[in-house]
Amino acid sequence: MMKKTLLAGITFVLLGVMVGCGNKTVQQPASESKNKTTNVSTTDSQVSEKTKVEKVKTIDVSDAIKIYQEKHPKTDITSVELESERSGLVYKIEGVDDETEYDLTINASSKEILRDKSEKLDKEDRAGVKRKQDKLDLKDIISIDEATIIAEKETGFGTAQEWSLDKDLSTTYWEVKGVEGRKEAQIKIDAKSGKVLEFELDD
């Protein structure tokens, strides 16, 4: 089974709002307090989104997929990864046809193709067996940034360390892993609808 991990240095946001004045508690009307909380959340979300774009200057996963499909048009994609190498962030995309497996590495900033490898599938995986089993449904999938926002909202903490675009039966999903101290969160998100499928927190 091929590695299906996407690495990205994207930070989950933990938002806390504290209001204090000496030893006195300042009370506000419910409607005013609610509006202020909403405004702060919106502002922080915008800052977080801007930071991600500036910090990780990479092409979108859809652009990387397009580059692969132009290079190997008669294949199906089975794995998409975003990870760090010495040269910087790269996309690693794997795919298959009925007889051969392909591995394309793309510079995530310049779109340059760094490596393009292929090898024959094992006998038991040929004749479309692996192709049918591992093919990802990539139509209308949510972006990495969209999956990140969903994960932030669900977990409320952590640093994104691993990404995996995988499938379970007919469902293609993002799996995002993040850490906070000794805790690790794993969340699975439907890659089409954005619905949270599973959330695990390990102490």
Side-chain angles (χ1 to χ4, degrees):
M1 180 63 67
M2 291 168 288
K3 181 180 177 184
K4 301 178 180 179
T5 304
L6 291 174
L7 303 179
I10 304 175
T11 303
F12 290 165
V13 177
L14 175 61
L15 179 63
V17 179
M18 300 179 64
V19 179
C21 181
N23 295 325
K24 297 181 180 180
T25 300
V26 179
Q27 296 183 346
Q28 298 174 327
S31 60
E32 181 181 350
S33 177
K34 182 178 180 180
N35 289 337
K36 286 190 175 182
T37 301
T38 301
N39 291 339
V40 171
S41 299
T42 302
T43 301
D44 281 7
S45 176
Q46 292 171 345
V47 171
S48 174
E49 189 69 12
K50 182 178 180 181
T51 300
K52 283 182 289 187
V53 172
E54 292 178 348
K55 186 175 181 180
V56 186
K57 295 182 179 179
T58 64
I59 60 173
D60 188 76
V61 64
S62 61
D63 293 325
I65 289 171
K66 184 177 180 181
I67 293 172
Y68 171 88
Q69 290 173 333
E70 289 175 348
K71 189 69 176 178
H72 301 291
K74 297 182 179 181
T75 66
D76 287 314
I77 291 176
T78 58
S79 173
V80 181
E81 302 175 10
L82 177 62
E83 63 181 44
S84 180
E85 292 189 348
R86 290 184 179 181
S87 59
L89 290 172
V90 298
Y91 278 102
K92 291 186 176 181
I93 302 180
E94 296 178 342
V96 296
D97 56 22
D98 289 345
E99 303 294 327
T100 306
E101 182 175 33
Y102 303 88
D103 186 349
L104 191 71
T105 302
I106 306 165
N107 184 297
S109 297
S110 67
K111 300 184 181 181
E112 178 187 0
I113 294 177
L114 303 177
R115 292 182 294 277
D116 187 10
K117 301 178 181 179
S118 64
E119 62 179 4
K120 285 291 184 181
L121 290 168
D122 294 335
K123 186 176 181 180
E124 62 270 20
D125 291 330
R126 296 176 188 173
V129 174
K130 186 174 182 63
R131 188 174 194 171
K132 182 178 180 180
Q133 179 180 350
D134 293 346
K135 174 185 176 181
L136 298 179
D137 184 359
L138 300 173
K139 184 178 180 180
D140 299 325
I141 63 171
I142 62 176
S143 68
I144 289 177
D145 279 348
E146 289 173 313
T148 299
I149 292 171
I150 294 169
E152 286 178 353
K153 183 177 180 180
E154 185 70 18
T155 63
F157 74 89
T159 300
Q161 290 191 336
E162 297 183 5
W163 292 84
S164 175
L165 187 60
D166 207 337
K167 66 178 289 187
D168 183 12
L169 298 177
S170 61
T171 302
T172 300
Y173 64 88
W174 287 108
E175 181 173 352
V176 184
K177 296 181 181 180
V179 295
E180 178 75 15
R182 295 183 178 180
K183 295 181 179 180
E184 179 178 284
Q186 299 182 38
I187 183 170
K188 292 182 180 180
I189 303 167
D190 189 306
K192 289 182 174 290
S193 68
K195 179 182 178 181
V196 175
L197 303 175
E198 185 178 320
F199 174 39
E200 295 181 3
L201 181 61
D202 300 324
D203 295 329

mmCIF file of all heavy atoms in Angstrom, residues 11 26 29 42 76 83-84 97 100 114 145 167 176 183:
data_model
loop_
_atom_site.group_PDB
_atom_site.id
_atom_site.type_symbol
_atom_site.label_atom_id
_atom_site.label_comp_id
_atom_site.label_asym_id
_atom_site.label_seq_id
_atom_site.Cartn_x
_atom_site.Cartn_y
_atom_site.Cartn_z
ATOM 1 N N THR A 11 -1.065 25.790 10.845
ATOM 2 C CA THR A 11 -1.342 25.840 12.280
ATOM 3 C C THR A 11 -2.818 25.903 12.575
ATOM 4 O O THR A 11 -3.528 26.691 11.994
ATOM 5 C CB THR A 11 -0.667 27.084 12.895
ATOM 6 O OG1 THR A 11 0.716 27.021 12.602
ATOM 7 C CG2 THR A 11 -0.875 27.110 14.395
ATOM 8 N N VAL A 26 -17.044 42.583 34.525
ATOM 9 C CA VAL A 26 -17.784 43.492 33.659
ATOM 10 C C VAL A 26 -18.833 42.705 32.915
ATOM 11 O O VAL A 26 -18.509 41.784 32.175
ATOM 12 C CB VAL A 26 -16.832 44.171 32.644
ATOM 13 C CG1 VAL A 26 -17.624 45.105 31.740
ATOM 14 C CG2 VAL A 26 -15.747 44.936 33.389
ATOM 15 N N PRO A 29 -24.633 43.268 27.899
ATOM 16 C CA PRO A 29 -25.877 42.685 27.367
ATOM 17 C C PRO A 29 -25.546 41.504 26.483
ATOM 18 O O PRO A 29 -24.536 41.503 25.783
ATOM 19 C CB PRO A 29 -26.481 43.846 26.547
ATOM 20 C CG PRO A 29 -25.887 45.077 27.151
ATOM 21 C CD PRO A 29 -24.513 44.696 27.602
ATOM 22 N N THR A 42 -14.374 36.199 13.458
ATOM 23 C CA THR A 42 -14.254 36.460 12.029
ATOM 24 C C THR A 42 -12.904 37.062 11.700
ATOM 25 O O THR A 42 -12.236 36.672 10.751
ATOM 26 C CB THR A 42 -15.366 37.422 11.575
ATOM 27 O OG1 THR A 42 -16.629 36.835 11.881
ATOM 28 C CG2 THR A 42 -15.268 37.687 10.081
ATOM 29 N N ASP A 76 -5.439 6.636 -13.561
ATOM 30 C CA ASP A 76 -6.249 7.087 -12.430
ATOM 31 C C ASP A 76 -5.333 7.358 -11.246
ATOM 32 O O ASP A 76 -4.383 6.603 -10.985
ATOM 33 C CB ASP A 76 -7.279 6.027 -12.038
ATOM 34 C CG ASP A 76 -8.406 5.927 -13.054
ATOM 35 O OD1 ASP A 76 -8.916 6.981 -13.468
ATOM 36 O OD2 ASP A 76 -8.760 4.791 -13.440
ATOM 37 N N GLU A 83 4.536 17.162 0.905
ATOM 38 C CA GLU A 83 5.538 16.976 1.941
ATOM 39 C C GLU A 83 6.772 17.818 1.670
ATOM 40 O O GLU A 83 6.935 18.394 0.595
ATOM 41 C CB GLU A 83 5.925 15.505 2.062
ATOM 42 C CG GLU A 83 6.568 14.929 0.828
ATOM 43 C CD GLU A 83 6.919 13.464 0.994
ATOM 44 O OE1 GLU A 83 6.086 12.695 1.518
ATOM 45 O OE2 GLU A 83 8.029 13.092 0.598
ATOM 46 N N SER A 84 7.634 17.880 2.674
ATOM 47 C CA SER A 84 8.824 18.717 2.592
ATOM 48 C C SER A 84 10.048 17.899 2.206
ATOM 49 O O SER A 84 10.287 16.822 2.753
ATOM 50 C CB SER A 84 9.066 19.403 3.942
ATOM 51 O OG SER A 84 10.214 20.220 3.886
ATOM 52 N N ASP A 97 -2.431 2.679 -14.451
ATOM 53 C CA ASP A 97 -3.321 2.225 -15.508
ATOM 54 C C ASP A 97 -3.486 0.723 -15.280
ATOM 55 O O ASP A 97 -3.272 0.249 -14.163
ATOM 56 C CB ASP A 97 -2.790 2.582 -16.902
ATOM 57 C CG ASP A 97 -1.397 2.043 -17.174
ATOM 58 O OD1 ASP A 97 -0.981 1.070 -16.500
ATOM 59 O OD2 ASP A 97 -0.715 2.585 -18.061
ATOM 60 N N THR A 100 0.640 -0.538 -15.241
ATOM 61 C CA THR A 100 1.799 0.212 -14.755
ATOM 62 C C THR A 100 1.411 1.207 -13.665
ATOM 63 O O THR A 100 0.312 1.761 -13.666
ATOM 64 C CB THR A 100 2.467 0.975 -15.921
ATOM 65 O OG1 THR A 100 2.759 0.051 -16.973
ATOM 66 C CG2 THR A 100 3.750 1.651 -15.481
ATOM 67 N N LEU A 114 9.892 17.405 -10.955
ATOM 68 C CA LEU A 114 11.208 17.025 -10.459
ATOM 69 C C LEU A 114 11.556 15.577 -10.778
ATOM 70 O O LEU A 114 12.698 15.260 -11.092
ATOM 71 C CB LEU A 114 11.271 17.241 -8.941
ATOM 72 C CG LEU A 114 10.954 18.662 -8.455
ATOM 73 C CD1 LEU A 114 10.971 18.712 -6.933
ATOM 74 C CD2 LEU A 114 11.953 19.661 -9.030
ATOM 75 N N ASP A 145 -6.904 23.975 2.125
ATOM 76 C CA ASP A 145 -7.257 25.073 3.028
ATOM 77 C C ASP A 145 -8.665 24.903 3.596
ATOM 78 O O ASP A 145 -8.912 25.182 4.771
ATOM 79 C CB ASP A 145 -7.153 26.418 2.304
ATOM 80 C CG ASP A 145 -5.720 26.934 2.241
ATOM 81 O OD1 ASP A 145 -4.863 26.373 2.944
ATOM 82 O OD2 ASP A 145 -5.466 27.888 1.495
ATOM 83 N N LYS A 167 -9.495 6.681 0.597
ATOM 84 C CA LYS A 167 -10.883 6.306 0.331
ATOM 85 C C LYS A 167 -11.290 5.130 1.201
ATOM 86 O O LYS A 167 -10.469 4.288 1.578
ATOM 87 C CB LYS A 167 -11.089 5.960 -1.147
ATOM 88 C CG LYS A 167 -10.361 4.728 -1.610
ATOM 89 C CD LYS A 167 -10.639 4.406 -3.080
ATOM 90 C CE LYS A 167 -12.044 3.919 -3.297
ATOM 91 N NZ LYS A 167 -12.275 3.444 -4.683
ATOM 92 N N VAL A 176 -6.674 14.372 8.486
ATOM 93 C CA VAL A 176 -5.752 15.393 8.977
ATOM 94 C C VAL A 176 -5.321 15.018 10.386
ATOM 95 O O VAL A 176 -6.153 14.694 11.225
ATOM 96 C CB VAL A 176 -6.423 16.782 8.996
ATOM 97 C CG1 VAL A 176 -5.419 17.852 9.420
ATOM 98 C CG2 VAL A 176 -7.021 17.107 7.637
ATOM 99 N N LYS A 183 -0.898 15.453 23.125
ATOM 100 C CA LYS A 183 -2.154 15.006 22.539
ATOM 101 C C LYS A 183 -2.071 15.017 21.017
ATOM 102 O O LYS A 183 -1.423 15.866 20.425
ATOM 103 C CB LYS A 183 -3.305 15.902 22.994
ATOM 104 C CG LYS A 183 -3.585 15.835 24.486
ATOM 105 C CD LYS A 183 -4.754 16.728 24.851
ATOM 106 C CE LYS A 183 -5.064 16.643 26.336
ATOM 107 N NZ LYS A 183 -6.214 17.509 26.709
#
